[in-house]
Amino acid sequence: MTLDIQFLSMLASAATGIWFGASFDTYKHFIGSPQRFRWTLLLNDILFWLVQALIFFYVLLQVNQGEVRFYLFLALLLGYSIYRSILEDIYQRILHWFIRVCVRLYDIITRIILVLIVNPIKWLLQVILTLSMMILSTLWTVILFIVKIILSPFRWIWLKYVHAFGNPFKAITLYLRKWKIKLKNKWDKWFHDDE
């Protein structure tokens, strides 16, 4: 490697160290401090550090065709130290501000969607349901009226027949009433005797 490439590799390693510090603080902020051991946390930690290692080697691949030297790890540690000593407080403030802005933006967007899309759709569905019920009720009333008109001659003939000859179903009606009374008495006897 030439001196220029070595210098660029050290700068890239130091910048990657700063990136490691910032990404670790971001990760720690979202994961939080766990009270007890969890397998998912272990898996997240492994994936996090695997991604960080891949980023470091990708940067080296872009700068010096992926040659790894000991001083590059020292430069990485230097970048991490620079982040911890100088940039950590600034980054923490920016991160908290950014999270607050994102949460506020999310609240505003959900309210806008609720006011402009969800509530009008709910109102429209209520109007459609109310109109449908009114239409069905009106249709049912009209159908009943038409059926009454159609059946009124038959009813009139039936009433004339009953008046002239009597009700031919009178015996069946009396028989069904007697059975209804018997069943009601048995029901009352079974369930009220237990009390």
Side-chain angles (χ1 to χ4, degrees):
M1 280 194 296
T2 63
L3 284 176
D4 291 342
I5 293 177
Q6 287 180 4
F7 181 71
L8 284 175
S9 300
M10 287 183 67
L11 279 179
S13 295
T16 307
I18 293 171
W19 163 261
F20 278 3
S23 60
F24 182 69
D25 279 351
T26 307
Y27 173 73
K28 198 167 56 172
H29 178 80
F30 285 110
I31 292 294
S33 55
Q35 304 297 328
R36 56 191 174 85
F37 176 77
R38 291 187 317 230
W39 285 103
T40 55
L41 184 65
L42 177 67
L43 183 66
N44 284 338
D45 287 346
I46 291 170
L47 288 175
F48 173 77
W49 287 112
L50 185 66
V51 167
Q52 298 307 316
L54 289 174
I55 289 172
F56 177 62
F57 288 116
Y58 178 75
V59 168
L60 288 182
L61 188 67
Q62 295 300 314
V63 174
N64 66 6
Q65 286 77 36
E67 289 187 33
V68 180
R69 302 285 169 93
F70 178 71
Y71 62 85
L72 296 179
F73 288 108
L74 291 177
L76 185 71
L77 190 61
L78 174 69
Y80 184 77
S81 301
I82 290 170
Y83 171 78
R84 285 289 170 216
S85 60
I86 300 171
L87 303 173
E88 181 176 15
D89 292 335
I90 298 168
Y91 179 75
Q92 290 282 348
R93 277 188 247 131
I94 291 171
L95 178 66
H96 292 317
W97 173 83
F98 182 72
I99 290 171
R100 279 197 306 273
V101 166
C102 287
V103 168
R104 187 71 181 138
L105 193 62
Y106 174 78
D107 288 343
I108 290 170
I109 289 171
T110 53
R111 285 181 186 163
I112 288 173
I113 289 172
L114 188 71
V115 168
L116 294 180
I117 297 173
V118 174
N119 287 344
I121 288 174
K122 282 171 62 177
W123 179 81
L124 186 64
L125 289 174
Q126 287 176 345
V127 167
I128 290 171
L129 183 65
T130 305
L131 287 174
S132 301
M133 294 306 292
M134 288 173 55
I135 290 169
L136 286 174
S137 175
T138 306
L139 279 174
W140 182 249
T141 306
V142 169
I143 288 170
L144 282 179
F145 180 73
I146 292 171
V147 167
K148 281 183 182 178
I149 289 175
I150 292 171
L151 293 180
S152 63
F154 298 106
R155 185 174 183 271
W156 180 78
I157 292 169
W158 173 255
L159 289 175
K160 289 292 183 186
Y161 178 83
V162 168
H163 183 67
F165 301 106
N167 188 352
F169 303 109
K170 189 173 185 180
I172 295 172
T173 307
L174 288 174
Y175 183 73
L176 290 175
R177 280 186 192 161
K178 284 180 187 177
W179 268 100
K180 181 182 172 186
I181 292 169
K182 282 182 185 179
L183 287 174
K184 185 178 182 307
N185 289 338
K186 285 186 179 183
W187 180 270
D188 290 343
K189 183 180 176 186
W190 286 339
F191 290 102
H192 293 295
D193 285 347
D194 294 340
E195 298 172 357

